[in-house]
Amino acid sequence: MRFTFDIVGVSPVLYFFNHQQQSWQKPQPPGVEYLGTHTCTLDGFLESVESVLPKLDWNLDQVVDTVIQFWWNNSESIQYWKSRLQDAGRDNLLVARVAEIQALQAEFESLLRKNW
């Protein structure tokens, strides 16, 4: 499996919690997970990844390597999101998506079919 990791935005804690609750209650396509952390740090996201992976059949080493590679290759984006998180205040989370590439592609294709 190949994975991807992206920071997708800043969200109020309650909104993110509600989204996660809804995703657990209704069937979701496997292979795409959203993570939230109060800090824009590599350690913060690695802890989030490690808390989600036990329920998934993913290779932890591959996912962790994907997150680390993102961190090394996207310093400008990371600084941008760090600033947005600070601007948003304490009651917000930085949200990221970790996904198996084929599952993410299927999710995007599904969204496109719904809009056409």
Side-chain angles (χ1 to χ4, degrees), residues 47-101:
E47 288 175 16
S48 294
V49 165
E50 290 171 355
S51 70
V52 171
L53 284 185
K55 71 176 186 170
L56 303 171
D57 189 27
W58 288 355
N59 180 310
L60 177 62
D61 291 337
Q62 283 182 309
V63 175
V64 166
D65 185 55
T66 300
V67 175
I68 292 170
Q69 289 300 318
F70 175 88
W71 219 258
W72 283 345
N73 297 324
N74 295 283
S75 62
E76 288 180 24
S77 176
I78 292 164
Q79 289 304 315
Y80 172 82
W81 286 113
K82 185 176 185 175
S83 294
R84 299 294 69 79
L85 181 61
Q86 288 173 343
D87 293 344
R90 292 181 45 180
D91 295 332
N92 292 278
L93 297 171
L94 190 57
V95 179
R97 176 185 55 230
V98 63
E100 192 274 317
I101 290 177

Short mmCIF file of all heavy atoms in Angstrom, two decimals, residues 47-101:
data_model
loop_
_atom_site.label_atom_id
_atom_site.label_comp_id
_atom_site.label_asym_id
_atom_site.label_seq_id
_atom_site.Cartn_x
_atom_site.Cartn_y
_atom_site.Cartn_z
N GLU A 47 1.68 11.22 17.00
CA GLU A 47 0.84 10.69 18.09
C GLU A 47 -0.57 10.44 17.59
O GLU A 47 -1.18 9.42 17.95
CB GLU A 47 0.83 11.66 19.26
CG GLU A 47 2.12 11.69 20.04
CD GLU A 47 2.13 12.76 21.13
OE1 GLU A 47 1.04 13.27 21.49
OE2 GLU A 47 3.22 13.08 21.61
N SER A 48 -1.11 11.35 16.78
CA SER A 48 -2.46 11.16 16.23
C SER A 48 -2.52 9.92 15.34
O SER A 48 -3.47 9.14 15.40
CB SER A 48 -2.89 12.38 15.43
OG SER A 48 -3.04 13.49 16.26
N VAL A 49 -1.51 9.76 14.50
CA VAL A 49 -1.45 8.59 13.62
C VAL A 49 -1.41 7.31 14.44
O VAL A 49 -2.14 6.35 14.16
CB VAL A 49 -0.22 8.67 12.67
CG1 VAL A 49 0.07 7.34 12.02
CG2 VAL A 49 -0.43 9.75 11.63
N GLU A 50 -0.57 7.28 15.45
CA GLU A 50 -0.44 6.08 16.27
C GLU A 50 -1.72 5.75 17.03
O GLU A 50 -1.99 4.58 17.31
CB GLU A 50 0.73 6.24 17.23
CG GLU A 50 2.07 6.20 16.51
CD GLU A 50 3.26 6.56 17.39
OE1 GLU A 50 3.06 6.93 18.56
OE2 GLU A 50 4.39 6.49 16.90
N SER A 51 -2.55 6.74 17.32
CA SER A 51 -3.80 6.46 18.03
C SER A 51 -4.86 5.91 17.08
O SER A 51 -5.77 5.20 17.51
CB SER A 51 -4.32 7.72 18.73
OG SER A 51 -4.77 8.67 17.79
N VAL A 52 -4.77 6.21 15.79
CA VAL A 52 -5.76 5.76 14.82
C VAL A 52 -5.41 4.40 14.24
O VAL A 52 -6.26 3.57 13.99
CB VAL A 52 -5.91 6.79 13.68
CG1 VAL A 52 -6.75 6.25 12.54
CG2 VAL A 52 -6.52 8.07 14.22
N LEU A 53 -4.13 4.14 14.04
CA LEU A 53 -3.71 2.94 13.32
C LEU A 53 -4.11 1.61 13.93
O LEU A 53 -4.33 0.66 13.19
CB LEU A 53 -2.21 2.97 13.07
CG LEU A 53 -1.79 3.92 11.96
CD1 LEU A 53 -0.31 3.78 11.70
CD2 LEU A 53 -2.56 3.69 10.69
N PRO A 54 -4.22 1.47 15.25
CA PRO A 54 -4.59 0.15 15.76
C PRO A 54 -5.90 -0.39 15.20
O PRO A 54 -6.08 -1.59 15.06
CB PRO A 54 -4.68 0.36 17.27
CG PRO A 54 -3.73 1.48 17.54
CD PRO A 54 -3.85 2.39 16.32
N LYS A 55 -6.83 0.50 14.81
CA LYS A 55 -8.11 0.02 14.28
C LYS A 55 -8.04 -0.27 12.78
O LYS A 55 -8.97 -0.80 12.22
CB LYS A 55 -9.23 1.01 14.59
CG LYS A 55 -9.17 2.29 13.81
CD LYS A 55 -10.38 3.15 14.13
CE LYS A 55 -10.36 4.37 13.22
NZ LYS A 55 -11.58 5.12 13.29
N LEU A 56 -6.94 0.11 12.15
CA LEU A 56 -6.79 -0.08 10.72
C LEU A 56 -5.76 -1.16 10.43
O LEU A 56 -4.90 -1.44 11.23
CB LEU A 56 -6.33 1.23 10.07
CG LEU A 56 -7.25 2.43 10.29
CD1 LEU A 56 -6.58 3.69 9.78
CD2 LEU A 56 -8.58 2.22 9.62
N ASP A 57 -5.85 -1.71 9.25
CA ASP A 57 -4.89 -2.73 8.83
C ASP A 57 -3.81 -2.08 7.97
O ASP A 57 -3.60 -2.46 6.83
CB ASP A 57 -5.61 -3.83 8.06
CG ASP A 57 -4.72 -5.02 7.78
OD1 ASP A 57 -3.77 -5.24 8.56
OD2 ASP A 57 -4.96 -5.70 6.77
N TRP A 58 -3.14 -1.07 8.54
CA TRP A 58 -2.11 -0.34 7.83
C TRP A 58 -0.76 -0.62 8.44
O TRP A 58 -0.65 -0.87 9.64
CB TRP A 58 -2.36 1.16 7.89
CG TRP A 58 -3.50 1.65 7.06
CD1 TRP A 58 -4.28 0.93 6.21
CD2 TRP A 58 -4.00 2.99 7.02
NE1 TRP A 58 -5.22 1.74 5.64
CE2 TRP A 58 -5.08 3.01 6.13
CE3 TRP A 58 -3.64 4.17 7.65
CZ2 TRP A 58 -5.79 4.16 5.84
CZ3 TRP A 58 -4.35 5.31 7.36
CH2 TRP A 58 -5.42 5.31 6.46
N ASN A 59 0.26 -0.52 7.64
CA ASN A 59 1.63 -0.69 8.10
C ASN A 59 2.07 0.61 8.79
O ASN A 59 2.24 1.64 8.12
CB ASN A 59 2.53 -1.02 6.92
CG ASN A 59 3.96 -1.22 7.31
OD1 ASN A 59 4.56 -0.42 8.02
ND2 ASN A 59 4.53 -2.32 6.84
N LEU A 60 2.25 0.57 10.09
CA LEU A 60 2.61 1.76 10.87
C LEU A 60 3.87 2.42 10.34
O LEU A 60 3.93 3.65 10.20
CB LEU A 60 2.76 1.41 12.34
CG LEU A 60 3.21 2.54 13.26
CD1 LEU A 60 2.21 3.67 13.26
CD2 LEU A 60 3.45 2.02 14.67
N ASP A 61 4.89 1.64 10.02
CA ASP A 61 6.14 2.21 9.55
C ASP A 61 5.96 2.99 8.25
O ASP A 61 6.54 4.06 8.07
CB ASP A 61 7.20 1.12 9.34
CG ASP A 61 7.67 0.50 10.65
OD1 ASP A 61 7.53 1.16 11.70
OD2 ASP A 61 8.16 -0.64 10.61
N GLN A 62 5.14 2.48 7.33
CA GLN A 62 4.90 3.18 6.07
C GLN A 62 4.15 4.48 6.30
O GLN A 62 4.47 5.51 5.69
CB GLN A 62 4.08 2.30 5.12
CG GLN A 62 4.87 1.23 4.44
CD GLN A 62 4.00 0.46 3.48
OE1 GLN A 62 2.91 -0.01 3.85
NE2 GLN A 62 4.45 0.32 2.25
N VAL A 63 3.15 4.47 7.16
CA VAL A 63 2.38 5.68 7.42
C VAL A 63 3.25 6.72 8.11
O VAL A 63 3.24 7.90 7.73
CB VAL A 63 1.11 5.36 8.25
CG1 VAL A 63 0.38 6.63 8.62
CG2 VAL A 63 0.20 4.41 7.49
N VAL A 64 4.00 6.31 9.11
CA VAL A 64 4.89 7.24 9.81
C VAL A 64 5.91 7.83 8.83
O VAL A 64 6.17 9.04 8.84
CB VAL A 64 5.59 6.54 11.00
CG1 VAL A 64 6.74 7.37 11.52
CG2 VAL A 64 4.57 6.27 12.11
N ASP A 65 6.46 7.01 7.96
CA ASP A 65 7.40 7.50 6.96
C ASP A 65 6.74 8.52 6.03
O ASP A 65 7.35 9.53 5.68
CB ASP A 65 7.98 6.34 6.15
CG ASP A 65 9.06 6.80 5.19
OD1 ASP A 65 10.03 7.43 5.65
OD2 ASP A 65 8.92 6.56 3.98
N THR A 66 5.50 8.30 5.67
CA THR A 66 4.76 9.24 4.82
C THR A 66 4.60 10.58 5.51
O THR A 66 4.80 11.64 4.90
CB THR A 66 3.38 8.66 4.45
OG1 THR A 66 3.57 7.43 3.74
CG2 THR A 66 2.58 9.62 3.61
N VAL A 67 4.25 10.57 6.80
CA VAL A 67 4.10 11.81 7.56
C VAL A 67 5.44 12.54 7.65
O VAL A 67 5.51 13.76 7.45
CB VAL A 67 3.51 11.54 8.96
CG1 VAL A 67 3.46 12.81 9.80
CG2 VAL A 67 2.12 10.92 8.84
N ILE A 68 6.49 11.81 7.94
CA ILE A 68 7.82 12.42 8.05
C ILE A 68 8.26 13.02 6.71
O ILE A 68 8.78 14.13 6.66
CB ILE A 68 8.85 11.39 8.57
CG1 ILE A 68 8.54 11.05 10.03
CG2 ILE A 68 10.27 11.92 8.42
CD1 ILE A 68 9.32 9.87 10.58
N GLN A 69 8.02 12.30 5.61
CA GLN A 69 8.38 12.82 4.29
C GLN A 69 7.61 14.11 3.99
O GLN A 69 8.18 15.06 3.44
CB GLN A 69 8.10 11.78 3.20
CG GLN A 69 9.04 10.61 3.22
CD GLN A 69 10.48 11.02 3.02
OE1 GLN A 69 10.80 11.87 2.19
NE2 GLN A 69 11.38 10.44 3.80
N PHE A 70 6.33 14.16 4.35
CA PHE A 70 5.56 15.38 4.18
C PHE A 70 6.21 16.52 4.96
O PHE A 70 6.36 17.63 4.45
CB PHE A 70 4.11 15.18 4.65
CG PHE A 70 3.30 16.45 4.60
CD1 PHE A 70 2.63 16.82 3.45
CD2 PHE A 70 3.22 17.29 5.71
CE1 PHE A 70 1.90 18.00 3.40
CE2 PHE A 70 2.50 18.47 5.67
CZ PHE A 70 1.84 18.83 4.51
N TRP A 71 6.59 16.24 6.19
CA TRP A 71 7.18 17.26 7.06
C TRP A 71 8.48 17.81 6.46
O TRP A 71 8.75 19.00 6.51
CB TRP A 71 7.40 16.69 8.46
CG TRP A 71 7.07 17.70 9.51
CD1 TRP A 71 7.94 18.45 10.24
CD2 TRP A 71 5.77 18.08 9.94
NE1 TRP A 71 7.25 19.27 11.10
CE2 TRP A 71 5.92 19.06 10.94
CE3 TRP A 71 4.48 17.69 9.58
CZ2 TRP A 71 4.84 19.65 11.58
CZ3 TRP A 71 3.41 18.27 10.21
CH2 TRP A 71 3.60 19.25 11.20
N TRP A 72 9.30 16.94 5.91
CA TRP A 72 10.58 17.36 5.33
C TRP A 72 10.39 18.17 4.05
O TRP A 72 11.18 19.07 3.76
CB TRP A 72 11.45 16.15 5.01
CG TRP A 72 12.11 15.54 6.21
CD1 TRP A 72 12.24 16.08 7.45
CD2 TRP A 72 12.71 14.27 6.27
NE1 TRP A 72 12.89 15.21 8.28
CE2 TRP A 72 13.20 14.08 7.57
CE3 TRP A 72 12.88 13.25 5.34
CZ2 TRP A 72 13.85 12.93 7.98
CZ3 TRP A 72 13.54 12.10 5.75
CH2 TRP A 72 14.02 11.95 7.06
N ASN A 73 9.37 17.83 3.27
CA ASN A 73 9.22 18.41 1.94
C ASN A 73 8.26 19.60 1.85
O ASN A 73 8.08 20.15 0.75
CB ASN A 73 8.76 17.33 0.95
CG ASN A 73 9.79 16.24 0.80
OD1 ASN A 73 10.98 16.49 0.84
ND2 ASN A 73 9.33 15.01 0.66
N ASN A 74 7.63 20.00 2.94
CA ASN A 74 6.59 21.02 2.86
C ASN A 74 6.71 22.07 3.96
O ASN A 74 5.72 22.44 4.58
CB ASN A 74 5.21 20.35 2.92
CG ASN A 74 4.97 19.48 1.72
OD1 ASN A 74 4.67 19.97 0.65
ND2 ASN A 74 5.13 18.18 1.91
N SER A 75 7.90 22.59 4.17
CA SER A 75 8.11 23.53 5.27
C SER A 75 7.28 24.80 5.14
O SER A 75 6.77 25.32 6.13
CB SER A 75 9.59 23.87 5.42
OG SER A 75 10.07 24.50 4.26
N GLU A 76 7.10 25.31 3.92
CA GLU A 76 6.28 26.51 3.74
C GLU A 76 4.83 26.26 4.11
O GLU A 76 4.19 27.08 4.78
CB GLU A 76 6.39 27.03 2.31
CG GLU A 76 7.74 27.65 2.00
CD GLU A 76 7.82 28.16 0.57
OE1 GLU A 76 6.77 28.46 -0.03
OE2 GLU A 76 8.94 28.26 0.07
N SER A 77 4.30 25.15 3.67
CA SER A 77 2.92 24.80 4.00
C SER A 77 2.74 24.61 5.51
O SER A 77 1.76 25.07 6.09
CB SER A 77 2.52 23.51 3.26
OG SER A 77 1.23 23.10 3.63
N ILE A 78 3.70 23.97 6.13
CA ILE A 78 3.64 23.75 7.58
C ILE A 78 3.67 25.08 8.32
O ILE A 78 2.87 25.29 9.26
CB ILE A 78 4.79 22.83 8.04
CG1 ILE A 78 4.57 21.42 7.49
CG2 ILE A 78 4.92 22.82 9.55
CD1 ILE A 78 5.78 20.54 7.53
N GLN A 79 4.50 26.00 7.92
CA GLN A 79 4.55 27.32 8.55
C GLN A 79 3.23 28.07 8.35
O GLN A 79 2.74 28.74 9.26
CB GLN A 79 5.72 28.15 8.02
CG GLN A 79 7.06 27.65 8.49
CD GLN A 79 7.15 27.59 10.02
OE1 GLN A 79 6.75 28.50 10.73
NE2 GLN A 79 7.66 26.48 10.52
N TYR A 80 2.65 27.95 7.17
CA TYR A 80 1.36 28.58 6.91
C TYR A 80 0.30 28.06 7.87
O TYR A 80 -0.42 28.83 8.50
CB TYR A 80 0.94 28.32 5.45
CG TYR A 80 -0.47 28.77 5.17
CD1 TYR A 80 -0.74 30.10 4.90
CD2 TYR A 80 -1.53 27.87 5.20
CE1 TYR A 80 -2.03 30.53 4.65
CE2 TYR A 80 -2.82 28.29 4.97
CZ TYR A 80 -3.07 29.62 4.69
OH TYR A 80 -4.37 30.03 4.46
N TRP A 81 0.19 26.73 7.98
CA TRP A 81 -0.85 26.14 8.83
C TRP A 81 -0.57 26.39 10.31
O TRP A 81 -1.50 26.53 11.10
CB TRP A 81 -1.02 24.66 8.53
CG TRP A 81 -1.73 24.47 7.23
CD1 TRP A 81 -1.22 23.93 6.09
CD2 TRP A 81 -3.06 24.87 6.92
NE1 TRP A 81 -2.16 23.96 5.10
CE2 TRP A 81 -3.30 24.52 5.58
CE3 TRP A 81 -4.09 25.47 7.64
CZ2 TRP A 81 -4.52 24.76 4.95
CZ3 TRP A 81 -5.30 25.71 7.02
CH2 TRP A 81 -5.51 25.37 5.69
N LYS A 82 0.69 26.45 10.68
CA LYS A 82 1.03 26.79 12.06
C LYS A 82 0.52 28.18 12.40
O LYS A 82 -0.07 28.40 13.47
CB LYS A 82 2.54 26.70 12.27
CG LYS A 82 2.97 26.91 13.69
CD LYS A 82 4.47 26.70 13.84
CE LYS A 82 4.87 26.79 15.30
NZ LYS A 82 6.29 26.47 15.48
N SER A 83 0.69 29.12 11.50
CA SER A 83 0.20 30.48 11.71
C SER A 83 -1.33 30.52 11.76
O SER A 83 -1.91 31.23 12.59
CB SER A 83 0.68 31.40 10.59
OG SER A 83 2.07 31.54 10.63
N ARG A 84 -1.98 29.77 10.87
CA ARG A 84 -3.45 29.76 10.87
C ARG A 84 -3.98 29.17 12.18
O ARG A 84 -4.98 29.64 12.72
CB ARG A 84 -3.99 28.95 9.69
CG ARG A 84 -3.63 29.45 8.32
CD ARG A 84 -4.22 30.82 7.94
NE ARG A 84 -3.70 31.95 8.64
CZ ARG A 84 -2.54 32.60 8.41
NH1 ARG A 84 -1.74 32.17 7.48
NH2 ARG A 84 -2.17 33.64 9.12
N LEU A 85 -3.33 28.14 12.68
CA LEU A 85 -3.75 27.53 13.94
C LEU A 85 -3.58 28.52 15.09
O LEU A 85 -4.46 28.65 15.94
CB LEU A 85 -2.97 26.25 14.21
CG LEU A 85 -3.32 25.49 15.49
CD1 LEU A 85 -4.79 25.05 15.49
CD2 LEU A 85 -2.41 24.29 15.66
N GLN A 86 -2.46 29.22 15.12
CA GLN A 86 -2.24 30.23 16.17
C GLN A 86 -3.28 31.34 16.08
O GLN A 86 -3.81 31.79 17.09
CB GLN A 86 -0.83 30.80 16.08
CG GLN A 86 0.23 29.83 16.51
CD GLN A 86 1.64 30.35 16.26
OE1 GLN A 86 1.86 31.28 15.49
NE2 GLN A 86 2.61 29.71 16.90
N ASP A 87 -3.60 31.79 14.87
CA ASP A 87 -4.59 32.83 14.67
C ASP A 87 -5.98 32.39 15.13
O ASP A 87 -6.76 33.20 15.62
CB ASP A 87 -4.69 33.24 13.19
CG ASP A 87 -3.44 33.93 12.68
OD1 ASP A 87 -2.61 34.38 13.50
OD2 ASP A 87 -3.29 34.01 11.43
N ALA A 88 -6.28 31.11 14.97
CA ALA A 88 -7.61 30.59 15.29
C ALA A 88 -7.86 30.49 16.79
O ALA A 88 -9.00 30.53 17.24
CB ALA A 88 -7.81 29.22 14.64
N GLY A 89 -6.82 30.32 17.58
CA GLY A 89 -7.00 30.26 19.03
C GLY A 89 -7.03 28.84 19.59
O GLY A 89 -6.97 27.86 18.85
N ARG A 90 -7.17 28.78 20.90
CA ARG A 90 -7.01 27.53 21.64
C ARG A 90 -8.10 26.49 21.40
O ARG A 90 -7.88 25.31 21.62
CB ARG A 90 -6.96 27.82 23.13
CG ARG A 90 -5.72 28.56 23.54
CD ARG A 90 -5.68 28.81 25.00
NE ARG A 90 -6.06 27.60 25.73
CZ ARG A 90 -6.12 27.51 27.02
NH1 ARG A 90 -5.85 28.56 27.76
NH2 ARG A 90 -6.45 26.39 27.62
N ASP A 91 -9.29 26.91 21.01
CA ASP A 91 -10.38 25.96 20.85
C ASP A 91 -10.45 25.35 19.46
O ASP A 91 -11.51 24.93 19.01
CB ASP A 91 -11.72 26.65 21.17
CG ASP A 91 -11.81 27.07 22.63
OD1 ASP A 91 -11.17 26.41 23.47
OD2 ASP A 91 -12.51 28.05 22.92
N ASN A 92 -9.31 25.29 18.80
CA ASN A 92 -9.25 24.78 17.43
C ASN A 92 -8.17 23.72 17.30
O ASN A 92 -7.25 23.64 18.10
CB ASN A 92 -8.98 25.93 16.46
CG ASN A 92 -10.14 26.88 16.39
OD1 ASN A 92 -11.10 26.62 15.69
ND2 ASN A 92 -10.08 27.97 17.13
N LEU A 93 -8.34 22.92 16.26
CA LEU A 93 -7.39 21.86 15.94
C LEU A 93 -6.87 22.05 14.53
O LEU A 93 -7.57 22.58 13.67
CB LEU A 93 -8.07 20.49 15.99
CG LEU A 93 -8.64 19.99 17.29
CD1 LEU A 93 -9.44 18.73 17.05
CD2 LEU A 93 -7.53 19.74 18.27
N LEU A 94 -5.67 21.58 14.31
CA LEU A 94 -5.14 21.47 12.96
C LEU A 94 -5.55 20.08 12.47
O LEU A 94 -5.32 19.08 13.15
CB LEU A 94 -3.62 21.62 12.97
CG LEU A 94 -2.96 21.77 11.62
CD1 LEU A 94 -3.52 22.97 10.86
CD2 LEU A 94 -1.46 21.92 11.81
N VAL A 95 -6.19 20.03 11.31
CA VAL A 95 -6.73 18.77 10.79
C VAL A 95 -5.90 18.32 9.60
O VAL A 95 -5.57 19.12 8.72
CB VAL A 95 -8.21 18.95 10.38
CG1 VAL A 95 -8.76 17.65 9.81
CG2 VAL A 95 -9.04 19.42 11.57
N ALA A 96 -5.59 17.05 9.60
CA ALA A 96 -4.84 16.44 8.49
C ALA A 96 -5.56 15.18 8.04
O ALA A 96 -6.38 14.61 8.76
CB ALA A 96 -3.42 16.11 8.92
N ARG A 97 -5.22 14.78 6.83
CA ARG A 97 -5.79 13.54 6.27
C ARG A 97 -4.65 12.60 5.96
O ARG A 97 -3.67 12.98 5.32
CB ARG A 97 -6.57 13.87 5.00
CG ARG A 97 -7.12 12.64 4.29
CD ARG A 97 -7.77 12.98 2.97
NE ARG A 97 -6.84 13.70 2.12
CZ ARG A 97 -7.12 14.83 1.50
NH1 ARG A 97 -8.29 15.41 1.60
NH2 ARG A 97 -6.19 15.43 0.74
N VAL A 98 -4.78 11.38 6.43
CA VAL A 98 -3.85 10.32 6.04
C VAL A 98 -4.70 9.27 5.32
O VAL A 98 -5.80 8.94 5.77
CB VAL A 98 -3.07 9.73 7.24
CG1 VAL A 98 -3.98 9.08 8.24
CG2 VAL A 98 -1.99 8.77 6.79
N ALA A 99 -4.20 8.83 4.17
CA ALA A 99 -5.04 7.95 3.36
C ALA A 99 -4.19 6.99 2.54
O ALA A 99 -3.06 7.31 2.16
CB ALA A 99 -5.92 8.77 2.43
N GLU A 100 -4.79 5.87 2.28
CA GLU A 100 -4.23 4.94 1.30
C GLU A 100 -4.57 5.55 -0.06
O GLU A 100 -5.71 5.99 -0.28
CB GLU A 100 -4.86 3.56 1.50
CG GLU A 100 -4.17 2.45 0.77
CD GLU A 100 -4.67 2.32 -0.64
OE1 GLU A 100 -5.88 2.41 -0.85
OE2 GLU A 100 -3.84 2.14 -1.55
N ILE A 101 -3.63 5.67 -0.94
CA ILE A 101 -3.79 6.46 -2.17
C ILE A 101 -4.97 5.99 -3.02
O ILE A 101 -5.76 6.81 -3.49
CB ILE A 101 -2.48 6.48 -2.98
CG1 ILE A 101 -1.46 7.33 -2.22
CG2 ILE A 101 -2.70 7.01 -4.39
CD1 ILE A 101 -0.10 7.41 -2.85
#
